[in-house]
């Protein structure tokens, strides 16, 4: 697929070169210079695509895409946002301080580009109403210009949003940069899609192996305490969670009960929640569906 894409780009470049040769005396020096610049850009695009590393490791694939975009667009920084449909947000790693950047769909420049699917070329970031300067303030980086576009795979699904920051040599991103991104964007998207699918498959295999292991451990559990610890450990592992708390039903009191160790104190904290109260209590009601809370701070009736 990579060779075919390269051949297609070279064919387009050859067609432009033929048009230049056959223009006779009617063309101007400006037209010839513009064609030479465009031909040079297309040649760079071919080389970038041909060198694009196809890795099944997601971090390596993202590095490959970022490095390719840096070379292609001749800019200072490239930020790559991955799409997380379940949370309706984009996530990226800041190049300056390695902090996770989260952007809701439809918010800011990246979120708007994702929602609309349209490329956005911003000549002066601080004059744009959608630009959020908070990351610049935190890192000390100064964003001047920005080219932001959605990255699609071959099915047309948006798999990422790419932000190129600060064209070098004091220049602004132009139409040629936009065309280059449109030309190689699907190649970049396919690299990310393959790596992400591989990561998801690996995660699923790991979860199945973990479940099998914990089912074997549960079958040998000696008492309720052992069962609760095993269940907590298994769910923490399988769901990639930071913590897991297991509540036991106290039917006579119509309560849920849980005991957990207080960190660094060697003591245990006992917690009781009325059935029907808070997130945990409502989950204990007959026929209740699982509660998946994306943002606990916005929950209308959290646990007491």
């Amino acid at each position: 697929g990579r060779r075919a894409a390269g051949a297609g780009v070279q064919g387009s470049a050859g067609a432009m070169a033929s048009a230049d040769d056959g223009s006779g005396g009617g063309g101007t020096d400006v037209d010839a210079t513009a064609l030479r610049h465009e031909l040079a850009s297309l040649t760079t695009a071919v080389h970038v695509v041909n060198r694009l590393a196809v890795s099944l490791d997601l971090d390596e694939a993202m590095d490959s895409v970022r490095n390719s975009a840096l070379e292609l667009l001749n800019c200072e920084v490239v930020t790559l946002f991955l799409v997380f449909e379940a949370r309706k947000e984009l996530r990226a790693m800041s190049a300056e301080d390695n902090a996770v950047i989260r952007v809701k769909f439809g918010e800011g420049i990246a979120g708007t580009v994702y929602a609309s699917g349209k490329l956005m070329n911003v000549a002066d970031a601080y004059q744009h109403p959608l630009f959020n300067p908070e990351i610049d303030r935190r890192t000390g980086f100064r964003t001047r210009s920005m080219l932001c576009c959605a990255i699609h795979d071959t099915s047309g699904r948006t798999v990422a949003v790419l932000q190129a920051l600060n064209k070098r040599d004091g220049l602004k991103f132009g139409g040629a940069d936009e065309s280059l991104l449109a030309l190689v964007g699907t190649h970049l998207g396919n690299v990310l899609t393959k790596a992400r699918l591989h990561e998801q498959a690996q995660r699923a295999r790991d979860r199945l192996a973990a479940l099998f292991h914990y089912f074997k451990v549960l079958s040998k559990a000696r008492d309720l305490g052992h069962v609760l610890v095993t269940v907590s450990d298994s769910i923490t592992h399988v769901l990639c969670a930071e913590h897991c708390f297991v509540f036991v039903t106290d039917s006579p009191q119509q309560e849920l009960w849980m005991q957990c160790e207080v960190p660094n104190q060697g003591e245990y904290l006992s917690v009781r929640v009325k059935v029907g109260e808070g997130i945990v209590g409502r989950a204990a009601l007959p026929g209740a569906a699982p509660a998946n809370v994306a943002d606990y701070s916005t929950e209308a009736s959290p646990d007491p």
Side-chain angles (χ1 to χ4, degrees), residues 140-155:
F141 182 81
R142 176 75 180 185
T143 303
R144 300 187 303 275
S145 56
M146 179 189 298
L147 183 61
C148 186
C149 74
I151 299 296
H152 310 282
D153 60 16
T154 50
S155 70

Side-chain angles (χ1 to χ4, degrees), residues 16 19 41 55 59 79 98 173 186 195 204 279 295:
M16 287 192 296
S41 296
S55 173
D59 289 334
T79 302
N98 290 325
F173 294 105
T186 301
I279 299 172
D295 188 349

Side-chain angles (χ1 to χ4, degrees), residues 16 20 28-42 176:
M16 287 192 296
D20 187 23
T28 66
D29 290 341
V30 174
D31 294 334
T33 301
L35 281 173
R36 281 194 293 270
H37 280 309
E38 190 165 356
L39 183 58
S41 296
L42 287 172

